[in-house]
């Protein structure tokens, strides 16, 4: 495989999953670890990605407030955000994580909406705070610099005492067999706690992340109440997700 083709595939994986491990890229591309390291170094030097421990991360995911960072699938994420607004009603209590899709939602909240938001994301809390009728509560803890969300025991302990109407989760990977999965152990533990603290759970995912799985399971598909994508509900790509427990938006 030519270097240009490798770089294109590497960037697709990073844009889709926000972070990739060097070992996974080596297996996916069938190349040596040394070749992966050289490719990541070259892409980092040209400003395409950020090198992190064990792999690389998307610049738009780590620094979504930087206008120079192009958000992957921005139009699709805006459609998802618009659909998600249909779930939000006055006086609800909502719990969110971070990510570029949820940031788009935070920007779209109508000014007259009165909602309480809990969030583990500093960036989401800042964006939500621009709306005068929203009450915004940040759940603090150790900052995971690769995902820009708070993680750790202190976050999980705070979540134990919260019961919200709805939680909004982004997806690293989602499938009808494995459910919601991720690769970061600390983030997975916090997302599990978020689901436990919520009456209902919505997953926001661009369709390219469907039918894929990462190494660590967050929850099975039966624990998700809403799956929100940019696709129309009758899309053939959503066939495997149509069941009595999961509402497609």
């Amino acid at each position: 495989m030519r270097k240009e083709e490798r770089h294109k595939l590497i960037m697709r994986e990073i844009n889709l999953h926000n972070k990739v491990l060097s070992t996974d890229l080596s297996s996916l591309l069938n190349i040596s670890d040394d070749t992966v390291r050289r490719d990541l170094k070259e892409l980092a030097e040209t400003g395409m990605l950020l090198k992190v421990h064990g792999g690389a991360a998307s610049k738009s995911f780590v620094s979504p407030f930087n206008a120079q960072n192009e958000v992957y699938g921005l139009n699709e994420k805006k459609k998802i955000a618009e659909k998600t607004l249909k779930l939000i009603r006055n006086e609800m209590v909502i719990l969110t994580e971070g990510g570029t899709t949820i940031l788009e939602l935070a920007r779209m909240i109508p000014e007259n909406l009165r909602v309480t938001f809990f969030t583990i994301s500093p960036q989401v809390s800042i964006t939500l705070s621009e709306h005068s009728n929203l009450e915004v509560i940040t759940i603090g803890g150790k900052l995971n610099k690769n995902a820009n969300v708070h993680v750790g025991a202190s976050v999980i302990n705070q979540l134990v005492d919260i019961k919200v109407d709805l939680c909004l989760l982004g997806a690293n990977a989602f499938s009808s067999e494995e459910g919601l999965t991720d690769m970061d152990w600390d983030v997975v533990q916090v997302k599990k706690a978020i689901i436990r603290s919520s009456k209902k759970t919505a997953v926001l995912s661009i369709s390219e992340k469907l039918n894929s799985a990462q190494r660590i399971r967050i929850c099975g598909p039966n624990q998700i109440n809403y799956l929100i994508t940019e696709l129309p509900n009758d899309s053939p790509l959503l066939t495997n997700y149509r069941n009595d427990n999961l509402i497609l938006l």
Side-chain angles (χ1 to χ4, degrees):
M1 184 183 297
R2 293 184 303 159
K3 181 169 69 173
E4 291 79 8
E5 294 174 337
R6 294 200 310 270
H7 285 190
K8 184 177 180 180
L9 288 172
I10 289 171
M11 289 308 305
R12 182 181 185 276
E13 288 298 303
I14 288 175
N15 285 326
L16 276 181
H17 302 298
N18 303 316
K19 180 183 176 183
V20 293
L21 299 177
S22 297
T23 52
D24 289 344
L25 288 175
S26 177
S27 176
L28 176 68
L29 302 176
N30 194 26
I31 56 178
S32 68
D33 293 341
D34 287 339
T35 300
V36 170
R37 282 193 290 269
R38 286 196 299 270
D39 284 345
L40 294 182
K41 181 180 179 182
E42 288 183 21
L43 289 167
E45 288 174 347
T46 59
M48 298 292 289
L49 53 77
L50 293 174
K51 286 194 68 179
V52 298
H53 179 70
S58 164
K59 292 181 69 176
S60 66
F61 187 72
V62 174
S63 304
F65 282 171
N66 188 336
Q68 295 180 342
N69 293 336
E70 183 178 348
V71 175
Y72 183 77
L74 181 59
N75 290 334
E76 289 82 359
K77 291 175 180 179
K78 286 182 176 180
K79 289 181 182 178
I80 293 169
E82 289 174 354
K83 288 184 176 183
T84 305
L85 286 175
K86 299 175 183 177
L87 297 178
I88 302 176
R89 300 287 185 269
N90 278 327
E91 312 306 334
M92 287 183 73
V93 180
I94 296 174
L95 176 56
T96 81
E97 57 151 341
T100 51
T101 304
I102 292 177
L103 271 175
E104 288 304 316
L105 172 66
R107 295 184 179 110
M108 291 183 184
I109 298 291
E111 289 299 327
N112 62 347
L113 198 62
R114 298 183 306 278
V115 174
T116 297
F117 277 94
F118 287 88
T119 181
I120 62 171
S121 165
Q123 291 155 324
V124 170
S125 67
I126 291 170
T127 303
L128 288 170
S129 69
E130 297 175 0
H131 300 274
S132 57
N133 287 325
L134 300 182
E135 182 174 359
V136 183
I137 303 169
T138 303
I139 300 173
K142 176 185 175 183
L143 183 67
N144 182 312
K145 295 180 180 179
N146 293 334
N148 263 322
V149 293
H150 292 131
V151 296
S154 64
V155 174
I156 294 173
N157 289 338
Q158 291 173 74
L159 289 170
V160 168
D161 296 325
I162 299 171
K163 197 65 178 179
V164 304
D165 300 302
L166 175 69
C167 72
L168 305 174
L169 297 176
N172 196 328
F174 189 79
S175 75
S176 58
E177 295 82 19
E178 297 297 328
L180 190 62
T181 56
D182 208 310
M183 68 171 66
D184 190 307
W185 175 260
D186 289 334
V187 171
V188 166
Q189 302 315 306
V190 170
K191 286 190 175 185
K192 286 183 176 182
I194 286 174
I195 293 171
R196 289 194 296 268
S197 297
S198 307
K199 295 178 182 177
K200 292 189 175 182
T201 298
V203 170
L204 288 59
S205 176
I206 61 173
S207 58
E208 286 184 82
K209 293 185 180 183
L210 300 180
N211 304 321
S212 66
Q214 294 289 337
R215 299 184 178 201
I216 310 172
R217 175 185 264 198
I218 298 167
C219 69
N222 62 324
Q223 292 176 264
I224 304 299
N225 302 104
Y226 305 99
L227 174 61
I228 310 171
T229 74
E230 81 281 6
L231 300 173
N233 287 352
D234 58 356
S235 170
L237 289 175
L238 296 175
T239 299
N240 293 338
Y241 300 93
R242 295 190 183 95
N243 59 61
D244 294 335
N245 298 319
L246 188 61
I247 299 174
L248 302 176
L249 292 179

